[in-house]
Amino acid sequence: MLSALSNIVKIPELRQRIIFTLIMFAIFRMGTHIPVPGVDPTAIEQLFNNGSLFGLLDLFSGGAFSKFSIFAMSITPYINAAIIMQLLTVVVPTLEQWSKEGAEGHKKTTKITRRLTVVLAFFQAVGMSIGLKQAILNPNPVNILIIAITLTAGTTLLMWIGEQITAQGIGNGISLIIFAGIVAALPKNIGMIYQYIQAGTINYFSVLLFAIIAIAMIVFVIYIEAAFRRVPVSYAKRVVGARAYGGHSSHIPLKVNQAGVIPIIFASSVLMFPITIIQFVDLPWAKTAATYLQWGTPLQTSIYVVLIIFFTYFYTAVTVKIPDMADNLKKYGGFIPGIRPGQPTADYIDYVLTRITLAGSVFLAFIAVLPNLIAGATHIQGVYFGGTALLIVVSVALHTMKQIEAMVVMRHYEGFMK
């Protein structure tokens, strides 16, 4: 391990990229401690003690939401804008054409995504300011507008930091910002467990059980994230002039978790929106609905699982273009043994993908409800382990390590991962 780390230090470019990424992380963490002007931090803290929904949102902002700092909205508006653009690519011909233009088309799509991020961030900031106006010292329209502009500027700065990390650092910048926010909450969670032990709320057996479940789930998530189904492909031999091409075998890798973490984000957004609205409505029926739809109740969990399975199939169908895969195989002389080229190949790939997507959707649903299961088994409340956080941390860590591995191997050093 030490020799592998020394290989990283020997590469100037890689060393500079890692240092740049760490500097951007430091700027991000400093920003989480800069408060938005005109907000009462005590009132915000009381809201966080009322339920787990705000605590879950705070986890992805790296604690910025509970402090109501300039990064309180985190990078969420950018993620929503990117997802919207990805879905619109399927239905808008212009965007679909841009997706086929390579780097030039990517620049156009990125420009629109940035503008859409600012618009979504501003509306989200206005809604957040109005919804939390009891925490604003002087909740007049001018102050609400100033707070909304401040929050929007914070999200825009995070978007810029993420893009700079992608261009000059290591890994995907947006994903790494979320990763840094989640990892930054680990000391707080450990301290909370220690306080529970000191107070006698939990015993050492609960902590041991929590640690065993945590390690087992990390291994399980890594295994599923790296799992894929190999669809065998053979290429017919072609003779061009005096040379023969083709005649070899390969495979199409279809990931078990093809949709990644997107279905959980979709399902969470769909459920969080009405729950958040209901919390600010002072009516009897709203209180009853909030009781049944509270995060972790049987009804909410059941709806959550169904939505995740639905969005897994939906997102996979939108992003994986099976007809194009079949056409490309036919164009280059490839075929699946025992399957005719063309539409039969597309039908077979669709059949295989539908079956493994079921396994992927069940996996995502299980990971999403994991925090509730852990809390019930260990009686450790308020420590957000599992779910989207675990999936993001493992996925980003694997992707970043693979990128470092590729840069190390490219320069003829011994690999980082073994």
Side-chain angles (χ1 to χ4, degrees):
M1 184 64 182
L2 293 177
S3 62
L5 291 174
S6 66
N7 289 338
I8 295 177
V9 178
K10 291 177 182 177
I11 305 174
E13 181 188 355
L14 183 56
R15 184 172 62 248
Q16 292 172 5
R17 285 179 173 270
I18 292 176
I19 293 174
F20 180 83
T21 303
L22 294 177
I23 292 174
M24 292 295 104
F25 281 169
I27 295 174
F28 164 58
R29 293 309 302 164
M30 285 189 292
T32 59
H33 297 282
I34 301 176
V36 174
V39 177
D40 182 11
T42 306
I44 293 292
E45 186 177 353
Q46 290 176 353
L47 287 173
F48 277 82
N49 295 330
N50 291 335
S52 62
L53 176 61
F54 289 115
L56 185 63
L57 295 174
D58 186 49
L59 176 66
F60 296 105
S61 64
F65 190 29
S66 59
K67 301 180 183 70
F68 212 75
S69 72
I70 59 174
F71 292 158
M73 295 193 304
S74 186
I75 203 68
T76 306
Y78 180 86
I79 296 173
N80 293 335
I83 293 172
I84 291 172
M85 289 297 297
Q86 193 169 15
L87 295 178
L88 287 178
T89 302
V90 183
V91 296
V92 179
T94 303
L95 295 178
E96 186 178 3
Q97 180 63 33
W98 288 353
S99 66
K100 299 176 181 178
E101 292 180 359
E104 192 63 31
H106 180 69
K107 288 181 181 178
K108 298 176 183 177
T109 305
T110 302
K111 187 181 295 185
I112 295 179
T113 304
R114 291 170 182 165
R115 294 174 180 174
L116 182 59
T117 299
V118 175
V119 173
L120 291 178
F122 179 75
F123 281 107
Q124 183 176 337
V126 171
M128 184 184 296
S129 303
I130 294 174
L132 301 175
K133 65 180 180 180
Q134 65 265 36
I136 300 176
L137 298 176
N138 187 13
N140 57 53
V142 176
N143 284 342
I144 289 177
L145 181 61
I146 291 174
I147 291 172
I149 292 175
T150 303
L151 291 174
T152 304
T155 296
T156 306
L157 177 59
L158 273 184
M159 177 179 64
W160 179 83
I161 290 174
E163 292 181 350
Q164 294 304 307
I165 292 176
T166 302
Q168 304 180 47
I170 288 291
N172 182 281
I174 303 300
S175 300
L176 283 172
I177 288 176
I178 302 175
F179 173 87
I182 295 172
V183 172
L186 288 178
K188 179 182 176 182
N189 290 334
I190 295 173
M192 191 178 299
I193 293 175
Y194 178 75
Q195 290 176 3
Y196 286 157
I197 294 176
Q198 293 295 103
T201 308
I202 59 175
N203 52 36
Y204 287 103
F205 177 76
S206 297
V207 178
L208 178 61
L209 180 61
F210 181 87
I212 292 174
I213 294 175
I215 295 173
M217 290 313 305
I218 291 173
V219 174
F220 177 62
V221 170
I222 293 174
Y223 178 78
I224 297 296
E225 280 296 296
F228 58 90
R229 166 78 153 80
R230 288 188 175 95
V231 178
V233 175
S234 298
Y235 288 89
K237 185 177 293 186
R238 296 178 299 163
V239 178
V240 180
R243 293 189 176 184
Y245 297 91
H248 63 278
S249 299
S250 183
H251 66 270
I252 302 174
L254 297 177
K255 287 192 64 176
V256 174
N257 183 21
Q258 193 77 39
V261 75
I262 300 300
I264 298 180
I265 295 176
F266 276 178
S268 301
S269 302
V270 170
L271 278 177
M272 281 182 179
F273 180 75
I275 295 174
T276 306
I277 297 300
I278 287 173
Q279 286 187 352
F280 299 108
V281 177
D282 190 16
L283 292 173
W285 66 266
K287 294 181 180 179
T288 304
T291 302
Y292 284 103
L293 291 177
Q294 187 177 2
W295 208 259
T297 59
L299 178 60
Q300 183 273 337
T301 303
S302 301
I303 298 174
Y304 194 28
V305 169
V306 172
L307 286 175
I308 289 173
I309 294 175
F310 168 76
F311 281 123
T312 302
Y313 275 97
F314 172 76
Y315 191 76
T316 302
V318 168
T319 55
V320 180
K321 300 182 180 353
I322 295 178
D324 291 348
M325 294 171 62
D327 290 341
N328 289 333
L329 281 178
K330 186 177 181 180
K331 184 187 301 183
Y332 294 103
F335 62 93
I336 299 173
I339 307 296
R340 293 175 60 86
Q343 188 58 42
T345 298
D347 294 339
Y348 177 77
I349 296 175
D350 181 68
Y351 170 74
V352 174
L353 189 61
T354 300
R355 294 179 65 186
I356 64 174
T357 300
L358 176 61
S361 63
V362 172
F363 161 73
L364 289 177
F366 173 70
I367 289 296
V369 301
L370 181 62
N372 299 336
L373 300 177
I374 293 178
T378 63
H379 305 290
I380 299 177
Q381 304 293 331
V383 179
Y384 298 97
F385 177 82
T388 313
L390 176 61
L391 195 58
I392 290 175
V393 167
V394 172
S395 301
V396 174
L398 287 175
H399 180 268
T400 305
M401 290 181 67
K402 287 179 181 177
Q403 185 171 345
I404 295 175
E405 168 80 356
M407 295 186 69
V408 171
V409 173
M410 186 171 61
R411 284 157 180 80
H412 308 290
Y413 287 106
E414 185 181 359
F416 181 72
M417 296 186 296
K418 294 184 180 180

